[in-house]
Amino acid sequence: MPGVSEEDEIRAAALRWVAMVTRDGQVPVTRAQLAGDFVWRGRRFPLVDRGRGIRRPAGWMSALSIVTAVAKSGGVRPYDDAIGPDGLHRYKLRRDVHGRAENEGLRNAMVAQVPLLWFYGEAPGVFQAIFPVFLVKEEPLLDQFVLAPTTEAPGLVGDTPIEGVLRRYLVAETRRRLHQPLFAGQVMMAYRTACAVCSLRHRELLDAAHIVPDVEADGLAVVSNGLALCKIHHAAYDSHILGIRPDLVVEIRHDLLAEIDGPMLRHGLQEHHGHSLMRVPERLADRPDPDRLERRYARFRAA
């Protein structure tokens, strides 16, 4: 196409490929896939670099992807990428002298406002794909960039009443779009990619459900506010057909227990009544928060 560079074409093709492989970010992707499976015009084109968090292909003005890795030892991540006071994620620059070219690639991506692929580590060599993301601001004193899933930076909106409402909306929307895939990946890792109620292990049939909904003040995107649920049990949980007590015992709404229907109702719902969850996280800190479960269970009882 006229005016479109090869860099732009490859970037667009890479975004489409990652969307296909990860089912729009719902399924994790491995480092081996990212390094070897994407092909451009008959040749392998790595989307990540070995041992580097920033991928700026040779000859490119801007970076293509960024990686937030998990340490193999299970310790802290190599770079402490975190969430800022505005609720947006930060990405750290490389601190060594050999990282100048990669850091400049990030600055060029910010100036040109080109989309990046962000691969956030769930486990060593396994990533949740978050895309597209944009660099909307540099914080040089902290050696980091501000990430947002849109070229509109919420902090740059004006101060009129209408613009204030717009700013709050943009902040909420960027938080949701960035936090949700990270939350999903962390919940799946904690529950070892299995439904808490029935232990179904097919990732494409699983959701990360909030105990307290994310539209509420306490509905934080943290693992202790999450449950890995298959799509049937997620829908049943959200519609108050299925409840989970603070002691992690499942209850099914009374009227459904007396209903006679097919095997899905019998095996999928009725037979779980009164039984404990089949899958809970190993780490105590990742297990469902009893206070949040109590509040959600009260709503189930009221319904």
Side-chain angles (χ1 to χ4, degrees), residues 174-186:
T174 51
R175 283 177 177 173
R176 184 189 67 79
R177 288 185 58 197
L178 278 177
H179 293 182
Q180 188 58 33
L182 298 181
F183 171 70
Q186 291 163 353

Side-chain angles (χ1 to χ4, degrees), residues 49 55 61 82 105 143 162 209 223 225 245 252-253 260 275 303:
D49 281 333
R55 167 72 166 144
M61 286 293 296
D143 292 328
I162 292 177
V223 176
N225 188 39
R245 300 191 326 222
I252 302 300
R253 203 174 69 200
I260 298 175
H275 290 269

Side-chain angles (χ1 to χ4, degrees), residues 228-300:
L229 296 175
C230 70
K231 293 186 181 297
I232 289 291
H233 291 134
H234 188 185
Y237 192 57
D238 283 351
S239 57
H240 302 299
I241 290 173
L242 180 150
I244 299 173
R245 300 191 326 222
D247 61 358
L248 305 184
V249 171
V250 175
E251 288 189 3
I252 302 300
R253 203 174 69 200
H254 180 74
D255 59 314
L256 266 78
L257 291 175
E259 188 175 318
I260 298 175
D261 199 349
M264 179 56 71
L265 176 63
R266 185 170 69 256
H267 300 301
L269 293 172
Q270 292 171 336
E271 290 182 359
H272 290 283
H273 180 72
H275 290 269
S276 298
L277 294 179
M278 296 183 70
R279 183 65 59 94
V280 294
E282 294 180 359
R283 292 181 67 243
L284 292 178
D286 290 338
R287 293 183 181 177
D289 175 21
D291 291 337
R292 289 188 172 101
L293 282 175
E294 179 65 51
R295 288 161 53 191
R296 183 66 180 264
Y297 178 67
R299 298 177 191 179
F300 164 77

Side-chain angles (χ1 to χ4, degrees), residues 20 28 35 40 91 104 190-191 199 239 257 281:
M20 177 189 68
W40 171 253
Y91 190 81
E104 193 61 28
Y191 284 81
S199 203
S239 57
L257 291 175

